[in-house]
Each structure stands twice: as C-alpha cells, then as structure tokens.
Amino acid sequence: MPNQEERFVAGMSHVAVLFSALGLALNIGLLVYYRQRSRFIAAHVKQALGLQVLSIILSWTVGLYVLFAGFGLGFGRIGPHFFFGKAMLTGLFLFLFNGVKLALVILGAIKGFGGQEYRLPLIGNLIAGIGE
C-alpha cells in the first residue's frame, strides 16, 4: 500500500493536467524525481502525462484546422456560413473532449489519492509501456 506522500503526489499529478503548460512542466519534474523512488507515483504521472500530451496535440490540431479553414487554405468553399459552421463543430468537439478529459482527471485523482493503480481507457497500456 502506498504511503500518504505517494498517494498525494499521484493524485495531484492528475490534477496538474488541468493547468496546461505549468502542469506539463510539473508532471515532467515529478516523473524525473520519482521515477526511481516510487513505481506507484511514476505510473500515475506517466498516465497523467499521456493524457496531457494527447490533449495538447488534439487542441493544437483542432486550432490549426480552424485557422486554415477560416482563411480558406485549401478546404473548399469559403463564406461566412462555412466558417461559422466549422467554428460551431469545433467548439462542440472541444467542449466534449474537455468534458471527457475532466472526467478522466477526476477518476485518476480519485484512484491516486486512494492508493489504487490507474490506467487510462484505450491508451493506458500503451502509455504504461513507454520508458519501461
């Protein structure tokens, strides 16, 4: 059973995902510091980092798509309705994605604070194998 410090750090690593670049830097620092000291913390931090990196990649991809679609760089017919429709769909996608991300952060934090192992759905096993 992980001690109190391990449970706290593991839970907070998931909460740090909500703080974008600051959370990314914090989790990288935690992984470097705890990699050899605590397998429990390292496992949780890797899952949190995986979610954070996926979130950053999707956010940038969607942002670039909207930027290029808005300026008409090869995405078909352009007009005010075209851009408004794309912006609405993009906003809906980001709203849903951030809702799922928040749910995964909460679940990971609960598991971390509770001293339980946690892997993200679908990509958790892949993330766990990185750096082994």
Side-chain angles (χ1 to χ4, degrees), residues 32-109:
V32 168
Y33 184 77
Y34 284 105
R35 173 174 251 153
Q36 301 299 323
R37 290 175 175 82
S38 172
R39 289 179 44 115
F40 178 75
I41 292 175
H44 272 273
V45 172
K46 282 171 54 175
Q47 295 298 311
L49 275 171
L51 179 59
Q52 195 155 27
V53 168
L54 178 66
S55 173
I56 290 168
I57 289 170
L58 281 175
S59 295
W60 275 88
T61 302
V62 169
L64 289 173
Y65 173 73
V66 169
L67 177 68
F68 289 132
F71 290 116
L73 301 176
F75 286 94
R77 189 179 65 107
I78 303 303
H81 300 296
F82 171 81
F83 183 69
F84 181 72
K86 293 287 184 186
M88 291 299 290
L89 287 176
T90 302
L92 177 62
F93 171 78
L94 288 176
F95 177 76
L96 293 174
F97 173 73
N98 284 322
V100 169
K101 181 174 90 170
L102 180 61
L104 292 173
V105 165
I106 291 170
L107 182 60

